[in-house]
Amino acid sequence: MTFEDAAERHLDDVYGYLSWFTGDASLAEDLAAETFERALRLWHRFDPVRGSARTWLCQLARTVALDHFRSERRRTRRERLVAPPERFDEAFGEGLAPDLEAALAHLSADEREVVALRVLLDLDAASAASVLGISPTNCTTRLSRALKKLEEELNVAA
Amino acid sequence: MSQRDLIAEIRAAPPAAPAPLRERVRAIAATGPDEAPAERRSPLLQRFSGHRLLRAAVPAAIAAAAAVVLSLVFTRGHGTTRSADSASAVAPKLAPSRTAGAAPSAESAAPEAAPLSATLAVQVATSAKVAAAAHRAELIATSLGGTATSVRIDTGARSGSATIVLHVPPGRAREALTRLVRLGTVTSEQASAQGGNGTVRFSVSTPR
């Protein structure tokens, strides 16, 4: 697979994962572009034997997002500004029901990203766990907790 | 709503990348390497990747170190010495020059012992790729702790060329070359260890 193929095939996945992880569509857009720029530089390190291009790109996307949040935290601390509240408008896909979107906003970033990887991108437990840097068991537990929380939020709303 | 319905609803509305982002990523990908990473890797490395390679390499290194120690003890016992020349005789020699589209050799990936100066010319398909390759050459120099001391880019609608003089730390010139050759099809390459100071003159152009 060439880099161009991988970029074309997995752009939606990377963008979707970042949208859910960050809860901010426009930030996800910038981070996705940064992810592919970094992926291009590191493409020679991608090893298909160790995992799919999609998993590798999601791992890279996560690193890019975490780097961004770290530098943002440093910047806001330096400027003594209060971080703006997270925005959730149209962050998780345009076709999502409003009550589901509201329920998603109650999940933590950790919970949102595990739902994104396991449900939205349909990655298996081992691949999602390798993206998150946790064990597959831990990943499954986190997913189950997140789905239960979502279900409860939706039942309360109903 | 049950978890099954929840999962179905989430999967029914996957976020799609907006058109401007898609364009941006396509432009990034267009400057990229055409070959698959697996094709660049030797079959041995594919077979023994990561921890497996480490597991094979560590005992081999220990065995080699033990052999060296034993041979030193043995030769001292017999009153013989090793000259510095014999050590340099087995050091990897630098290829003086390569031309006309030669693929990067395994040598260029090896750590270099001596400072190096090099001239490299590559060809890319479009003038947009010329500018992108020039930009990436600068990034390569920066990422290796060096700089681009001179950049000249001349691109038109259909053709273009660029020449960049990069200065990288002398010990990293070979690494710079290994990464620069991936930016296009190599048309000529010259490397010299004599008076080498880590200067790489990189030029990129479209076919005439």
Side-chain angles (χ1 to χ4, degrees), chain A residues 103-158:
Chain A
L104 279 170
H106 285 93
L107 297 188
S108 67
D110 283 356
E111 290 164 339
R112 284 200 307 268
E113 69 172 337
V114 78
V115 177
L117 293 171
R118 292 295 316 275
V119 179
L120 194 67
L121 272 59
D122 204 14
L123 288 186
D124 58 40
S127 302
S130 79
V131 172
L132 300 172
I134 57 177
S135 71
T137 312
N138 199 348
C139 180
T140 306
T141 311
R142 196 182 286 183
L143 173 69
S144 151
R145 202 172 45 224
L147 288 176
K148 195 162 187 290
K149 197 166 160 184
L150 262 185
E151 197 180 3
E152 283 169 4
E153 289 290 341
L154 284 167
N155 288 337
V156 168

Side-chain angles (χ1 to χ4, degrees), chain B residues 118-124 127 129-138 141 147-155 159-167 180 183 187-188 199-206 208:
Chain B
T119 305
L120 173 71
V122 302
Q123 212 166 61
V124 292
S127 66
K129 287 191 176 184
V130 168
H135 177 60
R136 287 197 57 210
E138 282 186 75
T147 51
T149 51
S150 149
V151 181
R152 190 182 57 79
I153 303 175
D154 181 17
T155 55
S159 63
S161 65
T163 305
I164 304 107
V165 179
L166 308 168
H167 276 289
L180 288 168
L183 299 181
T187 52
S188 78
T199 303
V200 180
R201 191 178 171 83
F202 175 68
S203 47
V204 52
S205 60
T206 50
R208 289 173 198 284

